[in-house]
Amino acid sequence: MRIESVSALEVFDSRGCPTVEAVVRCEGGRPCRAIAPSGASTGRAEAKELRDGGRRLRGKGVRLAVENVRTVIAPALIGRDGDHQQAIDRLMIELDGTPDKSRLGANAILAVSLATAYAAADAADRSPVEHFSHLWNEHARDLPATNELSLGRQPLFPTPMVNMISGGLHAGGNLDLQDFLIIPCGATSYREAFDWIVEIYWELGRRLNDAGFEGTLVGDEGGYGPRLTSNEQALEFVVAAIDGAGLKPGQDVGLALDVASSHFYHDGGYHLAREGRALSAADMVDLLERWVDRYPILSIEDGLAEEDWDGWKQLTDRLGHRVNLVGDDLFATNSRRLQNGIDRGIANSVLIKLNQIGTLTETFETMRLALSAGYRPVVSARSGETEDVTIADLSLATGAGQLKVGSVARSERLAKYNQLLRWEDSAAGRWPFAGRLPFADLKTPPA
Ligand code: PGA
Ligand code: ZN
Protein backbone atom coordinates (compact mmCIF):
# COMPACT_ATOMS: atom_id res chain seq x y z
CA MET A 1 0.00 0.00 0.00
CA ARG A 2 2.56 2.46 -1.23
CA ILE A 3 2.02 6.13 -0.44
CA GLU A 4 1.93 7.87 -3.83
CA SER A 5 1.24 11.47 -2.93
CA VAL A 6 1.23 13.77 0.10
CA SER A 7 0.16 17.40 -0.11
CA ALA A 8 -1.36 20.09 2.09
CA LEU A 9 -3.16 23.38 2.01
CA GLU A 10 -4.24 26.13 4.35
CA VAL A 11 -7.96 25.93 5.23
CA PHE A 12 -9.97 27.58 8.03
CA ASP A 13 -11.51 26.31 11.26
CA SER A 14 -14.73 27.14 13.12
CA ARG A 15 -13.27 30.41 14.45
CA GLY A 16 -12.04 31.44 11.02
CA CYS A 17 -8.52 30.59 12.09
CA PRO A 18 -6.14 29.06 9.51
CA THR A 19 -5.31 25.39 9.90
CA VAL A 20 -3.62 22.59 7.97
CA GLU A 21 -5.43 20.15 5.71
CA ALA A 22 -3.34 17.25 4.46
CA VAL A 23 -4.21 15.07 1.48
CA VAL A 24 -2.64 11.63 1.13
CA ARG A 25 -3.16 8.98 -1.52
CA CYS A 26 -2.00 5.37 -1.43
CA GLU A 27 -1.57 3.14 -4.49
CA GLY A 28 -4.96 1.97 -5.76
CA GLY A 29 -6.85 4.35 -3.48
CA ARG A 30 -8.40 7.80 -3.63
CA PRO A 31 -6.92 11.01 -2.17
CA CYS A 32 -8.01 11.26 1.49
CA ARG A 33 -7.95 14.38 3.62
CA ALA A 34 -7.69 15.22 7.30
CA ILE A 35 -7.65 18.61 9.02
CA ALA A 36 -5.86 19.56 12.25
CA PRO A 37 -8.07 21.17 14.94
CA SER A 38 -6.93 23.93 17.27
CA GLY A 39 -7.51 24.81 20.93
CA ALA A 40 -8.08 28.14 22.70
CA SER A 41 -7.67 27.03 26.30
CA THR A 42 -4.50 25.15 25.50
CA GLY A 43 -2.31 23.41 28.05
CA ARG A 44 1.33 24.39 28.40
CA ALA A 45 2.51 20.83 27.81
CA GLU A 46 0.85 20.49 24.41
CA ALA A 47 2.69 19.88 21.15
CA LYS A 48 3.08 23.18 19.29
CA GLU A 49 1.22 24.37 16.24
CA LEU A 50 3.45 26.11 13.75
CA ARG A 51 2.09 29.55 12.79
CA ASP A 52 3.69 31.99 10.39
CA GLY A 53 3.94 35.10 12.53
CA GLY A 54 4.20 38.43 10.73
CA ARG A 55 1.35 40.66 9.61
CA ARG A 56 -0.81 38.39 7.48
CA LEU A 57 -3.87 37.12 9.42
CA ARG A 58 -2.33 38.47 12.64
CA GLY A 59 0.48 35.95 12.43
CA LYS A 60 -1.88 32.98 12.52
CA GLY A 61 -1.30 31.75 8.96
CA VAL A 62 -0.04 28.19 8.50
CA ARG A 63 1.79 28.55 5.18
CA LEU A 64 5.06 27.45 6.78
CA ALA A 65 3.43 24.29 8.14
CA VAL A 66 1.91 23.59 4.70
CA GLU A 67 5.32 24.14 3.11
CA ASN A 68 6.84 21.69 5.61
CA VAL A 69 4.38 19.03 4.47
CA ARG A 70 5.23 19.65 0.82
CA THR A 71 8.98 19.93 1.07
CA VAL A 72 10.03 17.88 4.12
CA ILE A 73 7.32 15.35 4.97
CA ALA A 74 6.09 14.41 1.48
CA PRO A 75 9.49 13.41 0.02
CA ALA A 76 10.19 11.26 3.10
CA LEU A 77 6.81 9.48 3.06
CA ILE A 78 6.27 8.83 -0.64
CA GLY A 79 7.05 5.20 -1.45
CA ARG A 80 6.54 3.98 2.14
CA ASP A 81 3.79 1.58 3.18
CA GLY A 82 0.76 3.62 4.29
CA ASP A 83 -0.48 0.74 6.41
CA HIS A 84 2.59 1.05 8.64
CA GLN A 85 1.13 3.89 10.67
CA GLN A 86 3.62 3.54 13.50
CA ALA A 87 6.60 3.72 11.13
CA ILE A 88 5.12 6.74 9.33
CA ASP A 89 4.50 8.57 12.60
CA ARG A 90 7.96 7.73 13.98
CA LEU A 91 9.53 8.99 10.80
CA MET A 92 7.73 12.35 11.11
CA ILE A 93 8.74 12.60 14.78
CA GLU A 94 12.36 12.05 13.73
CA LEU A 95 12.17 14.52 10.86
CA ASP A 96 10.87 17.11 13.29
CA GLY A 97 13.49 16.34 15.93
CA THR A 98 12.03 18.48 18.73
CA PRO A 99 10.21 17.23 21.85
CA ASP A 100 7.11 19.36 21.08
CA LYS A 101 6.96 19.11 17.25
CA SER A 102 7.64 22.81 17.00
CA ARG A 103 9.96 22.61 13.99
CA LEU A 104 7.61 21.07 11.42
CA GLY A 105 4.50 21.90 13.47
CA ALA A 106 2.15 19.52 15.27
CA ASN A 107 -0.58 20.87 12.96
CA ALA A 108 1.37 19.69 9.89
CA ILE A 109 2.35 16.33 11.40
CA LEU A 110 -1.10 15.47 12.79
CA ALA A 111 -2.92 16.29 9.55
CA VAL A 112 -0.56 13.98 7.62
CA SER A 113 -0.75 11.26 10.27
CA LEU A 114 -4.56 11.16 10.08
CA ALA A 115 -4.79 11.55 6.31
CA THR A 116 -2.40 8.60 5.98
CA ALA A 117 -4.75 6.44 8.06
CA TYR A 118 -7.71 7.36 5.85
CA ALA A 119 -5.69 6.82 2.68
CA ALA A 120 -4.51 3.39 3.84
CA ALA A 121 -8.07 2.44 4.78
CA ASP A 122 -9.31 3.50 1.37
CA ALA A 123 -6.60 1.64 -0.53
CA ALA A 124 -7.25 -1.51 1.52
CA ASP A 125 -11.00 -1.16 1.01
CA ARG A 126 -11.55 -1.02 4.75
CA SER A 127 -14.03 1.32 6.40
CA PRO A 128 -12.40 3.95 8.64
CA VAL A 129 -13.76 2.14 11.71
CA GLU A 130 -12.28 -1.17 10.55
CA HIS A 131 -8.97 0.50 9.83
CA PHE A 132 -8.79 2.40 13.13
CA SER A 133 -9.72 -0.85 14.94
CA HIS A 134 -6.92 -2.62 13.12
CA LEU A 135 -4.40 0.09 14.08
CA TRP A 136 -5.70 0.26 17.67
CA ASN A 137 -5.40 -3.52 18.05
CA GLU A 138 -1.68 -3.27 17.35
CA HIS A 139 -1.49 -1.31 20.62
CA ALA A 140 -4.32 -2.83 22.64
CA ARG A 141 -3.98 -6.50 21.76
CA ASP A 142 -2.54 -7.37 25.16
CA LEU A 143 -4.49 -4.90 27.31
CA PRO A 144 -4.27 -6.37 30.82
CA ALA A 145 -7.33 -7.32 32.82
CA THR A 146 -6.89 -4.34 35.18
CA ASN A 147 -9.15 -2.58 32.75
CA GLU A 148 -12.19 -3.68 34.71
CA LEU A 149 -14.63 -1.64 32.67
CA SER A 150 -13.70 -3.57 29.55
CA LEU A 151 -13.32 -0.38 27.59
CA GLY A 152 -11.03 -0.48 24.58
CA ARG A 153 -11.70 -4.12 23.72
CA GLN A 154 -14.22 -3.77 20.91
CA PRO A 155 -15.88 -0.91 19.05
CA LEU A 156 -18.41 0.90 21.23
CA PHE A 157 -20.69 3.81 20.45
CA PRO A 158 -19.34 6.38 22.88
CA THR A 159 -21.49 7.97 25.54
CA PRO A 160 -21.44 11.62 24.53
CA MET A 161 -20.51 14.32 27.03
CA VAL A 162 -22.32 17.33 25.63
CA ASN A 163 -21.81 21.02 26.35
CA MET A 164 -24.98 22.86 27.40
CA ILE A 165 -23.54 26.07 28.87
CA SER A 166 -20.17 27.52 27.89
CA GLY A 167 -18.00 29.90 29.84
CA GLY A 168 -14.35 30.83 30.30
CA LEU A 169 -12.24 31.37 27.21
CA HIS A 170 -14.95 29.88 24.98
CA ALA A 171 -17.63 32.47 25.71
CA GLY A 172 -15.94 35.74 26.56
CA GLY A 173 -15.54 35.07 30.28
CA ASN A 174 -19.30 35.19 31.10
CA LEU A 175 -18.63 32.44 33.68
CA ASP A 176 -15.38 31.14 35.16
CA LEU A 177 -15.98 27.48 34.44
CA GLN A 178 -15.57 26.53 30.80
CA ASP A 179 -18.15 23.79 30.20
CA PHE A 180 -21.33 22.62 31.89
CA LEU A 181 -22.16 19.34 30.20
CA ILE A 182 -24.66 16.49 30.24
CA ILE A 183 -24.06 12.75 29.94
CA PRO A 184 -27.08 10.73 28.73
CA CYS A 185 -25.79 7.60 30.47
CA GLY A 186 -29.21 5.99 30.89
CA ALA A 187 -30.02 5.86 27.19
CA THR A 188 -30.06 2.47 25.53
CA SER A 189 -28.67 3.57 22.18
CA TYR A 190 -26.65 6.40 20.73
CA ARG A 191 -29.69 7.62 18.78
CA GLU A 192 -31.88 7.69 21.86
CA ALA A 193 -29.13 9.56 23.71
CA PHE A 194 -29.03 12.10 20.92
CA ASP A 195 -32.80 12.72 21.02
CA TRP A 196 -32.53 13.36 24.76
CA ILE A 197 -29.65 15.77 24.32
CA VAL A 198 -31.51 17.85 21.75
CA GLU A 199 -34.67 17.97 23.89
CA ILE A 200 -32.63 19.15 26.87
CA TYR A 201 -30.72 21.72 24.81
CA TRP A 202 -33.95 23.26 23.48
CA GLU A 203 -35.54 23.18 26.93
CA LEU A 204 -32.51 24.91 28.42
CA GLY A 205 -32.56 27.64 25.77
CA ARG A 206 -36.24 28.33 26.45
CA ARG A 207 -35.67 28.46 30.21
CA LEU A 208 -32.70 30.80 29.90
CA ASN A 209 -34.67 33.14 27.64
CA ASP A 210 -37.71 33.06 29.93
CA ALA A 211 -35.51 33.99 32.88
CA GLY A 212 -34.04 36.95 30.98
CA PHE A 213 -30.66 35.40 30.18
CA GLU A 214 -29.13 34.77 26.78
CA GLY A 215 -30.64 31.49 25.59
CA THR A 216 -29.75 31.99 21.95
CA LEU A 217 -26.16 33.21 21.85
CA VAL A 218 -23.67 30.38 21.78
CA GLY A 219 -20.00 29.98 22.60
CA ASP A 220 -17.19 28.41 20.57
CA GLU A 221 -18.53 24.90 21.07
CA GLY A 222 -22.22 25.69 20.57
CA GLY A 223 -23.26 25.72 24.24
CA TYR A 224 -25.29 28.74 25.39
CA GLY A 225 -23.18 31.60 26.73
CA PRO A 226 -25.47 33.32 29.28
CA ARG A 227 -24.20 35.91 31.73
CA LEU A 228 -25.48 34.15 34.83
CA THR A 229 -24.96 35.49 38.32
CA SER A 230 -22.84 32.56 39.53
CA ASN A 231 -21.22 29.40 38.28
CA GLU A 232 -23.56 27.26 40.37
CA GLN A 233 -26.59 28.84 38.72
CA ALA A 234 -25.52 27.09 35.50
CA LEU A 235 -25.77 23.72 37.26
CA GLU A 236 -29.25 24.60 38.48
CA PHE A 237 -30.40 25.58 34.99
CA VAL A 238 -29.06 22.38 33.45
CA VAL A 239 -30.70 20.14 36.07
CA ALA A 240 -33.99 22.00 35.59
CA ALA A 241 -33.73 21.55 31.81
CA ILE A 242 -33.18 17.78 32.17
CA ASP A 243 -36.21 17.59 34.40
CA GLY A 244 -38.24 19.87 32.13
CA ALA A 245 -37.44 17.58 29.19
CA GLY A 246 -39.13 14.75 31.08
CA LEU A 247 -35.90 12.96 32.02
CA LYS A 248 -34.51 12.01 35.41
CA PRO A 249 -31.39 13.93 36.46
CA GLY A 250 -28.82 11.41 37.63
CA GLN A 251 -30.67 8.34 36.47
CA ASP A 252 -31.17 9.12 32.79
CA VAL A 253 -28.78 12.02 32.41
CA GLY A 254 -25.80 12.98 34.58
CA LEU A 255 -23.78 16.18 34.64
CA ALA A 256 -20.14 16.92 33.91
CA LEU A 257 -17.91 19.95 34.34
CA ASP A 258 -14.84 21.10 32.50
CA VAL A 259 -13.56 23.57 35.06
CA ALA A 260 -10.52 24.39 32.87
CA SER A 261 -9.07 25.84 36.04
CA SER A 262 -5.53 26.31 34.65
CA HIS A 263 -6.96 29.41 33.00
CA PHE A 264 -8.00 31.16 36.20
CA TYR A 265 -5.13 29.96 38.38
CA HIS A 266 -2.45 32.55 39.13
CA ASP A 267 -0.09 33.09 42.02
CA GLY A 268 -1.24 29.95 43.80
CA GLY A 269 -4.93 30.95 43.77
CA TYR A 270 -8.06 30.07 41.80
CA HIS A 271 -9.63 33.38 40.83
CA LEU A 272 -13.39 33.09 40.31
CA ALA A 273 -13.95 36.49 38.71
CA ARG A 274 -17.72 36.00 38.28
CA GLU A 275 -18.01 35.51 42.03
CA GLY A 276 -15.35 38.03 43.05
CA ARG A 277 -13.34 35.58 45.14
CA ALA A 278 -10.07 33.64 45.04
CA LEU A 279 -9.83 30.10 46.38
CA SER A 280 -6.95 27.92 47.51
CA ALA A 281 -6.63 24.39 46.13
CA ALA A 282 -8.22 23.05 49.34
CA ASP A 283 -11.13 25.49 48.93
CA MET A 284 -11.57 24.39 45.32
CA VAL A 285 -11.71 20.74 46.42
CA ASP A 286 -14.33 21.67 49.05
CA LEU A 287 -16.37 23.56 46.46
CA LEU A 288 -16.27 20.70 43.96
CA GLU A 289 -17.19 18.21 46.69
CA ARG A 290 -20.16 20.35 47.68
CA TRP A 291 -21.34 20.37 44.05
CA VAL A 292 -20.88 16.58 43.80
CA ASP A 293 -23.02 16.23 46.96
CA ARG A 294 -25.70 18.51 45.58
CA TYR A 295 -25.86 17.71 41.85
CA PRO A 296 -25.69 14.42 39.89
CA ILE A 297 -22.14 15.04 38.62
CA LEU A 298 -20.41 12.08 36.97
CA SER A 299 -17.25 13.73 35.69
CA ILE A 300 -15.02 16.72 36.47
CA GLU A 301 -12.27 17.78 34.07
CA ASP A 302 -9.32 19.97 35.07
CA GLY A 303 -10.81 20.69 38.49
CA LEU A 304 -7.36 21.97 39.43
CA ALA A 305 -4.61 23.58 37.40
CA GLU A 306 -2.10 21.83 35.14
CA GLU A 307 0.86 22.56 37.43
CA ASP A 308 -0.97 22.06 40.74
CA TRP A 309 -0.14 18.37 41.17
CA ASP A 310 -0.46 18.55 44.97
CA GLY A 311 -3.94 20.02 44.66
CA TRP A 312 -4.81 17.31 42.15
CA LYS A 313 -3.72 14.69 44.67
CA GLN A 314 -6.08 16.13 47.30
CA LEU A 315 -8.90 16.24 44.75
CA THR A 316 -8.31 12.61 43.72
CA ASP A 317 -8.15 11.38 47.30
CA ARG A 318 -11.41 13.13 48.09
CA LEU A 319 -13.47 12.53 44.94
CA GLY A 320 -11.66 9.89 42.84
CA HIS A 321 -14.02 7.11 43.98
CA ARG A 322 -17.16 9.19 43.35
CA VAL A 323 -16.66 10.84 39.96
CA ASN A 324 -14.44 10.58 36.92
CA LEU A 325 -11.61 13.08 37.33
CA VAL A 326 -10.34 13.90 33.87
CA GLY A 327 -6.91 15.38 33.19
CA ASP A 328 -6.89 17.59 30.10
CA ASP A 329 -4.29 20.38 30.42
CA LEU A 330 -2.82 18.21 33.20
CA PHE A 331 -1.85 15.29 30.94
CA ALA A 332 -2.00 16.90 27.48
CA THR A 333 -2.49 13.41 25.92
CA ASN A 334 1.17 12.84 26.76
CA SER A 335 2.08 9.35 27.99
CA ARG A 336 4.97 10.65 30.10
CA ARG A 337 2.73 13.08 31.95
CA LEU A 338 0.02 10.44 32.28
CA GLN A 339 2.53 7.92 33.68
CA ASN A 340 3.54 10.51 36.26
CA GLY A 341 -0.12 10.94 37.23
CA ILE A 342 -0.63 7.17 37.48
CA ASP A 343 2.49 6.84 39.66
CA ARG A 344 1.26 9.58 41.98
CA GLY A 345 -2.37 8.42 42.10
CA ILE A 346 -3.67 11.55 40.40
CA ALA A 347 -6.96 11.63 38.42
CA ASN A 348 -8.69 8.50 37.07
CA SER A 349 -9.46 9.59 33.50
CA VAL A 350 -7.68 11.32 30.66
CA LEU A 351 -8.88 13.62 27.91
CA ILE A 352 -7.64 12.46 24.51
CA LYS A 353 -6.98 15.25 22.01
CA LEU A 354 -4.98 14.15 19.00
CA ASN A 355 -3.36 17.52 18.40
CA GLN A 356 -2.10 17.79 21.98
CA ILE A 357 0.44 15.10 21.12
CA GLY A 358 0.48 15.29 17.33
CA THR A 359 0.33 11.74 15.89
CA LEU A 360 -2.16 8.91 15.82
CA THR A 361 0.43 6.46 17.15
CA GLU A 362 1.28 8.51 20.23
CA THR A 363 -2.44 9.06 20.86
CA PHE A 364 -2.98 5.29 20.85
CA GLU A 365 -0.01 4.85 23.21
CA THR A 366 -1.55 7.27 25.71
CA MET A 367 -4.96 5.56 25.43
CA ARG A 368 -3.38 2.18 25.95
CA LEU A 369 -1.47 3.36 29.00
CA ALA A 370 -4.66 4.85 30.42
CA LEU A 371 -6.72 1.70 29.97
CA SER A 372 -3.99 -0.56 31.27
CA ALA A 373 -3.91 1.51 34.50
CA GLY A 374 -7.72 1.54 34.82
CA TYR A 375 -8.00 5.17 33.71
CA ARG A 376 -10.89 6.07 31.41
CA PRO A 377 -10.20 7.88 28.13
CA VAL A 378 -12.50 10.65 26.88
CA VAL A 379 -11.90 11.34 23.20
CA SER A 380 -12.30 15.08 22.66
CA ALA A 381 -12.62 17.76 20.03
CA ARG A 382 -10.93 21.16 20.30
CA SER A 383 -12.76 24.45 20.53
CA GLY A 384 -11.48 25.22 17.02
CA GLU A 385 -12.85 22.43 14.81
CA THR A 386 -13.78 21.69 11.21
CA GLU A 387 -15.79 19.21 9.17
CA ASP A 388 -13.14 16.59 9.94
CA VAL A 389 -14.77 13.59 11.67
CA THR A 390 -11.73 11.59 12.73
CA ILE A 391 -12.55 11.71 16.44
CA ALA A 392 -16.00 10.19 15.80
CA ASP A 393 -14.49 7.28 13.85
CA LEU A 394 -11.67 6.87 16.34
CA SER A 395 -13.80 6.95 19.48
CA LEU A 396 -16.09 4.28 18.03
CA ALA A 397 -13.30 2.06 16.71
CA THR A 398 -11.25 2.05 19.91
CA GLY A 399 -14.17 1.47 22.28
CA ALA A 400 -12.95 4.41 24.37
CA GLY A 401 -16.44 4.78 25.84
CA GLN A 402 -16.78 8.58 25.88
CA LEU A 403 -16.72 11.41 23.35
CA LYS A 404 -16.69 15.13 24.10
CA VAL A 405 -17.40 17.27 21.04
CA GLY A 406 -19.24 20.37 22.25
CA SER A 407 -22.92 21.09 21.86
CA VAL A 408 -25.65 20.32 19.35
CA ALA A 409 -25.33 23.62 17.53
CA ARG A 410 -22.60 24.58 15.00
CA SER A 411 -21.96 22.19 12.15
CA GLU A 412 -18.34 21.46 13.03
CA ARG A 413 -19.81 19.75 16.14
CA LEU A 414 -22.74 18.09 14.34
CA ALA A 415 -20.35 16.68 11.73
CA LYS A 416 -19.02 14.32 14.42
CA TYR A 417 -22.40 13.49 15.96
CA ASN A 418 -23.94 12.85 12.55
CA GLN A 419 -21.05 10.59 11.57
CA LEU A 420 -21.88 8.38 14.57
CA LEU A 421 -25.57 8.36 13.60
CA ARG A 422 -24.52 7.13 10.17
CA TRP A 423 -22.39 4.40 11.68
CA GLU A 424 -25.24 3.40 13.96
CA ASP A 425 -27.60 3.25 11.02
CA SER A 426 -25.27 1.03 9.02
CA ALA A 427 -23.98 -1.09 11.90
CA ALA A 428 -27.40 -2.63 12.63
CA GLY A 429 -26.69 -3.57 16.23
CA ARG A 430 -23.15 -4.78 15.56
CA TRP A 431 -21.55 -2.53 18.19
CA PRO A 432 -23.00 -1.73 21.64
CA PHE A 433 -23.61 1.72 23.11
CA ALA A 434 -21.29 2.46 26.04
CA GLY A 435 -24.08 4.02 28.15
CA ARG A 436 -23.18 3.82 31.81
CA LEU A 437 -20.09 1.64 31.31
CA PRO A 438 -17.49 4.43 31.76
CA PHE A 439 -19.14 5.36 35.08
CA ALA A 440 -19.97 1.87 36.29
CA ASP A 441 -17.57 1.71 39.22
CA LEU A 442 -18.30 5.11 40.74
CA LYS A 443 -19.19 4.66 44.38
CA THR A 444 -21.92 7.24 44.83
CA PRO A 445 -25.05 6.50 42.88
CA PRO A 446 -26.14 9.64 41.03
CA ALA A 447 -28.22 11.89 43.34
P1 PGA B 1 -9.75 23.89 23.90
O1 PGA B 1 -10.95 23.49 24.86
O2 PGA B 1 -9.86 23.11 22.66
O3 PGA B 1 -9.94 25.36 23.73
O4 PGA B 1 -8.49 23.57 24.67
C1 PGA B 1 -11.41 22.19 25.04
C2 PGA B 1 -11.19 21.71 26.45
O5 PGA B 1 -10.63 22.43 27.30
O6 PGA B 1 -11.54 20.57 26.74
ZN1 ZN C 1 -10.69 20.83 28.98
Side-chain angles (χ1 to χ4, degrees), residues 52-100:
D52 299 340
R55 301 245 307 273
R56 178 179 169 264
L57 294 171
R58 302 184 184 182
K60 290 183 181 295
V62 293
R63 287 177 175 172
L64 291 174
V66 164
E67 214 36 43
N68 286 341
V69 174
R70 291 192 183 141
T71 60
V72 183
I73 295 175
L77 261 50
I78 288 169
R80 307 232 171 207
D81 190 336
D83 197 31
H84 292 177
Q85 185 75 41
Q86 296 193 41
I88 298 291
D89 288 342
R90 300 260 172 262
L91 180 58
M92 289 194 285
I93 291 165
E94 261 170 52
L95 285 171
D96 173 77
T98 68
D100 58 4

Side-chain angles (χ1 to χ4, degrees), residues 34 83 85 113-121 126-140 155 354 360-361 363-364 388-399 419 423:
D83 197 31
Q85 185 75 41
S113 178
L114 300 181
T116 301
Y118 280 98
R126 288 187 189 127
S127 76
V129 170
E130 285 169 336
H131 188 65
F132 279 121
S133 295
H134 151 81
L135 296 177
W136 167 242
N137 283 334
E138 291 175 8
H139 296 267
L354 289 147
L360 190 53
T361 297
T363 303
F364 283 156
D388 186 286
V389 295
T390 308
I391 55 168
D393 295 343
L394 181 129
S395 64
L396 169 59
T398 57
Q419 177 78 349
W423 283 123

